[in-house]
Amino acid sequence: MLGLVVLLGVFILLLSFFIRVRRPKNFPPGPRPWHILGNLLQLDPVNPLKDLERLKRCYGNVFSLYIGSWPAVVMNGLEAICEALVTRSENYAGRQNHNMISHIFEGKGIFMANYDSSWREHRRFTVTTLKNFGLGKQLKSSDGTWGEQVFDTLPTLQLFPLTKHVEVYLTCLTLPLPFWNILTQHKGSRVAGEARDLIDCYLDQMDKAADGDSTFNDTQMGNLILELVMAGTDTISNTHRSAMLHLMTNQHVQDRCRKEIEEVLEGRTDVSFEDRHAMQYVQAVINEVQRIGYTIPLAAFHTTCKDTQLCGYQLPKGTMVIPNLSSVLHEEGQWKFPHEFNPENFLNDKGEFVKPEAFLPFSAGICVCLGEGLARMELFLFVVTLLQRFQFVWPETGGVPDLSLIFGTVCCLNPLHTL
Ligand code: HEM
């Protein structure tokens, strides 16, 4: 009996090699997929970026892959990414709803939500509230670390019963628990109309919309807060780590930053975000850190909301789309020094700060990172404040600094230890 089952299994496997998976008509080209596994075995799960680069050289800036049985289109380079995310942004604003994280989040919140009225209302609410509470003010340090490591793996690899995924799944399930306590405390102590933070603002919004068909409710709020914590934790801390390492390994850059900071602040100890306008070189350095380190190399996967086009190809509704942001951040022809750390990438002939069109670490279009303003402010205030007070030096006993990036949804460098 067992022999028969094994034989049947081998037969099905062999059959799957010979039955061709048909791509939709005028779909972008790509390597031949296998049944069930698609092209997964052709991608290095530890770091697929090199494989994507190889496939780009073979098939061009727009090619397709099968992630398991789901077709996905990978977009590379400024032109293709802007055509999809900016010119046809509404067609590409969907999110995939067949991965583990989206099942846990049930499509609520922003990050994992589809492009509908709930997404629009929550996005508008969050952008406005972050502006009111964050931008233009000094930041307090945060002690929240729940979001760490949650997104450090490709969601699509959930096809395999990996321990890592069980771990991520369990972490995601337990993540909301502290939130419910915080929410109960807020409900007990808040004064309507006198919001202290984003949760109070959300509760005010729930009161306002209580009579109508509101999309604002406790579960949506829980997901929204978790998303903000997760999206705003690793991204920022990894960029800071990267900034420190590049400043340590480029002392002349660090010295020039410090000189500019001293000239602009003229003895002032407190720096404000407004000071960035006078610190053109510091801005160039921070942007260059983000460019070379491409924090979120593959953005968040999008899905087409309707049948649409891309660079002459046809993409049916529901196609998974992967914007390869790292390809734009290192694209030849867009940067003076695409493959090396060099703040000159952001300076014009007069030494003034300029932001090239290809600087897309926060992605582009209607789903562009909504924490971009907050992230910029945090990075600027943090880097300037540290450089005002400390000199960062790579220790002689530290060996050769390791600048290689560890791939993940959020990329990072190896941890640094202070001596
Ligand atoms: C260096 C820091 C950061 C980088 C590089 C970054 C980058 C990104 C990228 C590439 C996306 C995907 C956009 C797309 O789908 O095309 C994204 C989305 C998002 N980010 Fe950020 N982010 C950063 C910091 C933050 C912070 C501080 C917050 C919040 C406080 C935040 C909140 C979000 C949210 C909510 C989304 C989902 C937007 C949507 O789907 O509409 N991010 N971010």
Side-chain angles (χ1 to χ4, degrees):
M1 180 64 183
L2 184 69
L4 197 69
V5 173
V6 173
L7 211 66
L8 195 71
V10 173
F11 176 72
I12 294 174
L13 207 67
L14 283 174
L15 200 67
S16 74
F17 280 117
F18 295 108
I19 302 175
R20 265 186 105 86
V21 176
R22 283 194 178 277
R23 287 185 156 76
K25 203 169 162 234
N26 197 20
F27 202 61
R32 186 178 162 182
W34 293 4
H35 267 275
I36 307 169
L37 288 178
N39 298 108
L40 278 178
L41 296 182
Q42 287 146 285
L43 297 175
D44 177 356
V46 178
N47 185 352
L49 291 181
K50 283 202 180 91
D51 296 316
L52 297 184
E53 180 61 32
R54 176 176 51 79
L55 292 170
K56 184 186 93 176
R57 280 200 296 273
C58 194
Y59 297 102
N61 272 342
V62 178
F63 60 85
S64 62
L65 286 172
Y66 275 74
I67 311 278
S69 43
W70 295 297
V73 170
V74 183
M75 311 185 289
N76 299 277
L78 184 65
E79 201 184 321
I81 290 185
C82 282
E83 178 181 332
L85 300 189
V86 181
T87 315
R88 301 179 202 274
S89 60
E90 294 202 354
N91 298 0
Y92 286 84
R95 293 286 187 208
Q96 39 157 196
N97 52 17
H98 44 241
N99 71 35
M100 181 177 68
I101 307 272
S102 55
H103 279 299
I104 296 168
F105 278 68
E106 295 170 347
K108 296 198 169 72
I110 299 180
F111 210 80
M112 283 298 149
N114 253 318
Y115 179 60
D116 56 14
S117 56
S118 170
W119 175 84
R120 274 191 290 272
E121 283 176 18
H122 278 80
R123 197 173 155 109
R124 202 178 308 124
F125 163 81
T126 315
V127 170
T128 314
T129 312
L130 282 182
K131 223 177 214 166
N132 293 345
F133 277 110
L135 295 177
K137 297 180 184 170
Q138 292 286 357
L139 284 181
K140 288 187 191 139
S141 64
S142 155
D143 56 3
T145 54
W146 320 328
E148 283 182 15
Q149 306 303 325
V150 171
F151 277 148
D152 67 349
T153 186
L154 273 175
T156 41
L157 293 180
Q158 68 179 291
L159 291 168
F160 301 106
L162 300 175
T163 335
K164 185 76 192 164
H165 287 78
V166 175
E167 194 185 316
V168 171
Y169 189 80
L170 292 176
T171 313
C172 283
L173 285 182
T174 51
L175 278 175
L177 299 180
F179 167 72
W180 297 116
N181 286 336
I182 297 170
L183 179 58
T184 313
Q185 282 164 16
H186 271 69
K187 283 187 173 168
S189 61
R190 77 186 262 259
V191 179
E194 289 178 25
R196 297 159 295 183
D197 56 21
L198 191 126
I199 296 181
D200 279 352
C201 285
Y202 198 100
L203 292 169
D204 281 350
Q205 191 65 34
M206 276 168 69
D207 289 348
K208 267 191 234 159
D211 304 333
D213 276 344
S214 171
T215 58
F216 286 77
N217 55 50
D218 285 1
T219 323
Q220 288 273 16
M221 179 181 2
N223 283 6
L224 175 66
I225 306 257
L226 280 182
E227 286 178 351
L228 293 178
V229 171
M230 291 195 287
T233 312
D234 269 9
T235 46
I236 295 286
S237 64
N238 289 339
T239 312
H240 284 316
R241 186 188 292 171
S242 187
M244 287 307 120
L245 192 60
H246 286 292
L247 287 168
M248 274 190 274
T249 49
N250 294 278
Q251 278 299 322
H252 63 288
V253 173
Q254 192 181 146
D255 292 345
R256 191 165 156 192
C257 283
R258 193 170 291 103
K259 189 165 173 278
E260 187 179 70
I261 292 168
E262 280 164 9
E263 278 168 14
V264 172
L265 295 185
E266 293 175 327
R268 256 194 300 137
T269 47
D270 58 323
V271 54
S272 92
F273 193 37
E274 283 307 298
D275 290 319
R276 74 189 182 284
H277 300 300
M279 295 190 197
Q280 309 265 311
Y281 188 71
V282 172
Q283 283 202 74
V285 171
I286 295 172
N287 281 254
E288 180 62 357
V289 166
Q290 284 197 273
R291 186 193 72 81
I292 202 81
Y294 46 74
T295 317
I296 306 196
L298 302 179
F301 296 179
H302 289 235
T303 303
T304 50
C305 301
K306 51 170 87 158
D307 293 352
T308 186
Q309 294 94 43
L310 180 61
C311 299
Y313 297 113
Q314 292 291 331
L315 274 56
K317 178 180 173 181
T319 306
M320 190 195 300
V321 182
I322 304 175
N324 185 354
L325 299 181
S326 63
S327 71
V328 188
L329 294 171
H330 293 186
E331 189 171 3
E332 283 169 18
Q334 300 291 350
W335 302 97
K336 289 187 247 178
F337 306 96
H339 306 296
E340 65 182 75
F341 175 83
N342 192 332
E344 291 298 323
N345 278 315
F346 290 89
L347 295 171
N348 66 14
D349 296 344
K350 295 182 202 145
E352 293 159 344
F353 172 66
V354 281
K355 199 157 41 150
E357 217 189 332
F359 184 62
L360 298 182
F362 298 99
S363 191
I366 49 178
C367 294
V368 67
C369 171
L370 67 67
E372 176 174 351
L374 186 62
R376 284 186 186 292
M377 185 179 68
E378 283 187 62
L379 292 173
F380 177 78
L381 293 180
F382 201 87
V383 168
V384 172
T385 307
L386 282 176
L387 286 182
Q388 262 184 309
R389 290 161 174 78
F390 303 103
Q391 168 104 28
F392 293 91
V393 184
W394 185 257
E396 280 172 18
T397 52
V400 181
D402 181 6
L403 288 161
S404 55
L405 287 166
I406 303 168
F407 176 81
T409 301
V410 180
C411 268
C412 64
L413 293 165
N414 279 308
L416 303 175
H417 304 281
T418 38
L419 294 175

